[in-house]
Amino acid sequence: MPVLNRAELSRTGVIFVALLLAICATDAAAREFRAADTQTEDYPTVQALRYMGALISERTGGRHEIKVFHSRQLGEEKETIEQTRAGAIDLNRTNVALIGNFVPAMNVLAMPFLFRSIEHMQKVLDGPIGNEILGSFEPYGFVGLAFYDSGARSIYNGDRPVTSIADLKGLRIRVQQSELMSDMIRSLGAVPVELPYGQVLTGLATHLIDGAENNWPSFVTTDHYKYAGHYTLTEHTMSPEVLVISLKAWRSLSVDDQKIFREAALRSSRFMREKWRDLEEQSQRKAEAAGITVVKDIDRKPLEDAMAPIYAKAARDPAAAALIERIRKVE
């Protein structure tokens, strides 16, 4: 048996301790990340989060995993955003209008009639402007990872067909808990009612509200179409969804793991777009088969003109005004 001298024993001990610390550090770094989404289990955004989780688990050898809490299990969007900011929730898929209460640039993306088409919006978000916006989250307690599609939002109600801006007068329309969205509906002559997403169906069924505004999949998957038989293609906003991670969770990751999370988020964004297109078409067909009246030829010019006060208000902020101008110039 070889006999180790004191120096060799000392070196052996140091190596052993270093290996032990490395193992402990690896174990400590491995964790399960909680992700929040208010949509149902089979919704494209939820599927995209699970796809992202599978990519991360594969790339990290199972060290990191994402557990997705869908269907408002962790609360309504306003609540989950606040919890994500505090670090109690790790990842959150949310609409830009709501997170705009914290991150100013998001309010610009929620501006009515800003994007000319879905293709225009995607070109903006996939380019330098989108990257700059995602990079602006950190001072507010988040890190922006990727944008998800949300289609075009339109107005629907159970009272009467809306064929012109005059038909909106006096209708009680649910909006997200956002000052910008309330201002928009008020400018159209309707009465904004701020309600959490999960309360809209009850609001329609009990006539607390006459209608709401959202995209085709949300209109159908929530059963809103059963109480609101008139859907008008106002397509007043084409604001995207955004995936964020709390700054606390982000800083717990190594530089290499941060790169893995970013790449997985971007791949999940492309995955989500494909799922979204399919669901959008299915939802519209289901609504029309159920007898929903769809007004497709509304004159949108008076609706756009009614947004002048909202754009004048946004122009008071030079940064917002410059961003709006840059987005409009994208061809």
Side-chain angles (χ1 to χ4, degrees):
M1 295 282 293
V3 178
L4 300 178
N5 60 35
R6 184 174 296 177
E8 289 170 328
L9 284 169
S10 177
R11 282 196 298 273
T12 302
V14 169
I15 292 170
F16 176 76
V17 171
L19 287 170
L20 186 63
L21 287 173
I23 292 169
C24 291
T26 300
D27 287 343
R31 59 171 291 193
E32 181 180 82
F33 292 79
R34 301 199 315 158
D37 197 311
T38 55
Q39 298 289 2
T40 55
E41 187 172 8
D42 58 350
Y43 204 79
T45 53
V46 176
Q47 293 182 59
L49 286 173
R50 286 181 168 159
Y51 177 73
M52 176 183 171
L55 292 174
I56 288 171
S57 180
E58 179 185 352
R59 290 286 307 278
T60 63
R63 279 188 301 109
H64 296 320
E65 295 184 350
I66 293 177
K67 184 173 183 180
V68 182
F69 293 85
H70 54 83
S71 307
R72 302 186 299 279
Q73 291 173 332
L74 298 182
E76 296 287 354
E77 274 186 296
K78 185 174 183 293
E79 299 161 356
T80 61
I81 291 170
E82 291 167 351
Q83 291 180 64
T84 305
R85 192 184 190 201
I89 292 175
D90 301 307
L91 293 125
N92 198 349
R93 189 287 312 158
T94 181
N95 188 272
V96 296
L98 283 169
I99 204 165
N101 293 326
F102 299 96
V103 185
M106 292 296 96
N107 281 324
V108 171
L109 296 185
M111 291 289 285
F113 303 105
L114 174 63
F115 296 109
R116 298 186 295 274
S117 65
I118 296 297
E119 292 73 25
H120 176 223
M121 181 191 73
Q122 290 175 346
K123 192 166 185 180
V124 169
L125 299 180
D126 292 346
I129 294 176
N131 289 332
E132 287 174 27
I133 293 173
L134 288 175
S136 71
F137 280 70
E138 284 201 29
Y140 310 100
F142 312 96
V143 171
L145 293 179
F147 291 108
Y148 287 167
D149 276 15
S150 184
R153 297 175 75 96
S154 291
I155 292 173
Y156 50 88
N157 80 98
D159 189 71
R160 58 182 179 263
V162 172
T163 59
S164 70
I165 191 171
D167 295 325
L168 286 166
K169 188 172 180 60
L171 286 178
R172 299 185 306 279
I173 302 296
R174 176 266 175 179
V175 294
Q176 297 154 299
Q177 293 163 291
S178 157
E179 181 182 349
L180 174 61
M181 294 298 101
S182 288
D183 287 346
M184 179 194 70
I185 289 298
R186 197 176 290 113
S187 296
L188 294 174
V191 179
V193 180
E194 293 190 8
L195 277 180
Y197 187 56
Q199 296 179 18
V200 180
L201 183 62
T202 301
L204 289 168
T206 61
H207 303 290
L208 171 67
I209 54 176
D210 298 310
E213 50 85 46
N214 219 316
N215 52 54
W216 279 112
S218 293
F219 177 57
V220 172
T221 60
T222 54
D223 285 342
H224 293 179
Y225 74 103
K226 294 180 180 179
Y227 297 93
H230 308 287
Y231 192 99
T232 301
L233 290 174
T234 53
E235 297 187 333
H236 48 272
T237 61
M238 296 179 184
S239 56
E241 311 283 312
V242 64
L243 174 62
V244 299
I245 184 171
S246 77
L247 193 56
K248 180 181 177 182
W250 183 251
R251 288 175 173 169
S252 74
L253 294 167
S254 68
V255 173
D256 287 342
D257 284 346
Q258 287 177 354
K259 184 179 179 182
I260 289 172
F261 268 63
R262 281 199 187 278
E263 289 174 352
L266 289 174
R267 286 182 62 182
S268 77
S269 174
R270 303 299 182 267
F271 172 89
M272 186 271 171
R273 279 185 186 173
E274 293 179 11
K275 298 290 183 183
W276 177 261
R277 281 193 292 268
D278 292 341
L279 181 60
E280 202 167 34
E281 293 171 3
Q282 293 169 19
S283 299
Q284 184 170 352
R285 286 198 300 268
K286 184 174 180 178
E288 291 176 337
I292 298 301
T293 300
V294 183
V295 178
K296 299 180 180 180
D297 56 354
I298 186 171
D299 183 1
R300 295 169 79 244
K301 183 67 165 56
L303 277 68
E304 293 183 37
D305 292 345
M307 298 301 110
I310 291 178
Y311 277 90
K313 184 178 179 180
R316 296 174 198 162
D317 178 356
L323 182 55
I324 289 169
E325 187 63 21
R326 287 180 66 197
I327 288 173
R328 284 176 164 167
K329 286 182 178 179
V330 173
E331 295 294 335

